[in-house]
Amino acid sequence: MKKITVLGVTGSIGVQTVDVVYHNPNDYMIVGMSAGHNISKLEEIIEKIPVQVVCVIEKNDAEILAKKYPYIRFVYGQAGLIEIATLSDVEIVLNAIVGFAGLIPTIEAIRHHKDIALANKETLVVAGHIITKLVKEYQVRLLPVDSEHSAIFQSLQGNQNNKIKRILLTASGGSFRDKTREELVGVSVKEALNHPNWSMGAKITIDSATLFNKGLEVMEAKWLFDVDYDKIEVLIHPESILHSAVEFEDTSIIGQMGMPDMRLPIQYALTYPLRKPLIKGESLDLTKMGQLTFKKPDFKRFRALKLAYDAGIKGGSMPCVLNGANEEANLAFRNGQIEFLDIERLVEEAMNAHDWIENPSVQQLLDIDRWARDYVIKKIGESHADNN
Ligand code: NAD
Ligand code: MG
């Protein structure tokens, strides 16, 4: 019986993790879970599967829930999050929190010798240099949940001693993959949220449309697989069937294919190195697919991807600026405060205005993240003042 903590249990990945655990009650047990503000979803989950300790953001929510579910212990806030990420009998922490907020609980979990199943890619983007060091120091496993990285990880099994020539990181292209740059002017939030292949949380769906998601994944791949940026190639693959691949030195390309279903990489991160049946998993029928297509992304069209490569290659504090500015601009777009193309413009401006640091500490990352967010908020405020 594997004991797990799930951070961000009410989100898209969190709910699918609950589904995997629910269908395998003899294999896994969720001991700790955390949610943000979606208390009704949390209650649904608590009533569906057993759990011992639950963390929410607000103290008030924790107090109300504690009265309603006296057999569960409720904790709250950042201290609560760290508490459930470090529970003594937990073996693996699946981090499905969205954004920079996932960083500190990941660090604390590693320091308490927990294996990490990581959906929260922002953690590696901003602090890959710190996380990879800690993973070695504490000798824990860092298992990817992101579908592309799970595909790469699966392709590397049995090949640990073979050099990677190239990583082929596939991208659906998001909601606007068929639009020209001119056609992106004035697109709506509703259109952007309409992803062709995957159903995901709001932030990552917008990131898929801008291609910041793929940019974050390029950086995530760099840290997970220790490869240079010139060996990570993004391919637009609208069918989302080849989830990514690795080319080895003998030119052999090994990849992982399957229907787009996040429960597979979630489950593999939990069962690794074993494979188990995926309950209600649909087998891929290649004859029904007819054809699979691939093309190179146009960096002018997908400016965000270029910015992400630039930030990754610059390294140090730059990815943290890109990430913080993007989180804030992504939110402002969803709130109707800015246009779609303003997202990448604001991120680029923040990157240009930043005083770069080569090897930021955790505290410096916290400060830089705040700075990048404040920069974007200020710029949006100024442009609204100009328009009035
Ligand atoms: P989501 O928005 O659906 O869920 C996020 C979860 O995090 C919720 O439970 C929310 O309550 C919690 N949360 C948000 N802010 C928090 C904070 N400040 N403190 C504590 N908890 C907080 O997001 P998602 O789509 O499930 O994505 C989660 C992570 O997984 C992201 O990093 C995303 O990039 C990554 N990811 C998601 C998918 C997908 O299919 N959804 C695929 C690959 C990777
Ligand atoms: Mg992905």
Side-chain angles (χ1 to χ4, degrees), residues 121 146-149 204 213-214 217 220 262:
K121 63 192 83 186
D146 214 344
S147 58
E148 297 78 0
H149 305 75
I204 185 177
N213 181 52
K214 207 49 55 182
E217 290 185 357
E220 186 186 10
M262 282 309 295

Side-chain angles (χ1 to χ4, degrees), residues 7-16 34-38 57 78 81 95-99 101-102 118-122 145-148 198-205 207 213 216-217 220 262:
L7 304 178
V9 75
T10 52
S12 159
I13 294 288
V15 166
Q16 294 179 83
S34 87
H37 291 106
N38 192 347
I57 291 180
Q78 182 77 355
L81 205 53
N95 187 346
I97 288 178
V98 59
L118 194 66
N120 176 251
K121 63 192 83 186
E122 295 89 348
V145 170
D146 214 344
S147 58
E148 297 78 0
W198 299 92
S199 160
M200 310 181 285
K203 189 253 176 186
I204 185 177
T205 307
D207 279 351
N213 181 52
L216 300 179
E217 290 185 357
E220 186 186 10
M262 282 309 295

Side-chain angles (χ1 to χ4, degrees), residues 328-388:
E328 211 56 54
N330 178 312
L331 180 66
F333 171 66
R334 278 182 277 145
N335 288 339
Q337 292 169 279
I338 59 171
E339 296 283 324
F340 183 73
L341 287 173
D342 290 334
I343 302 175
E344 58 189 33
R345 181 181 55 76
L346 287 163
V347 171
E348 185 163 11
E349 285 179 20
M351 285 168 66
N352 289 337
H354 170 59
D355 276 332
W356 183 72
I357 305 178
E358 187 170 359
N359 189 19
S361 65
V362 174
Q363 185 54 51
Q364 283 172 319
L365 290 173
L366 290 165
D367 295 342
I368 292 163
D369 175 69
R370 190 63 262 163
W371 174 86
R373 288 166 190 274
D374 288 345
Y375 182 90
V376 167
I377 292 167
K378 189 169 136 248
K379 283 282 162 184
I380 295 172
E382 283 169 7
S383 73
H384 284 172
D386 288 350
N387 291 338
N388 288 338

Side-chain angles (χ1 to χ4, degrees), residues 221-235:
K222 182 237 149 43
W223 291 112
L224 279 171
F225 307 113
D226 191 21
V227 282
D228 289 336
Y229 286 102
D230 60 355
K231 291 186 175 165
I232 306 172
E233 220 172 277
V234 172
L235 288 179

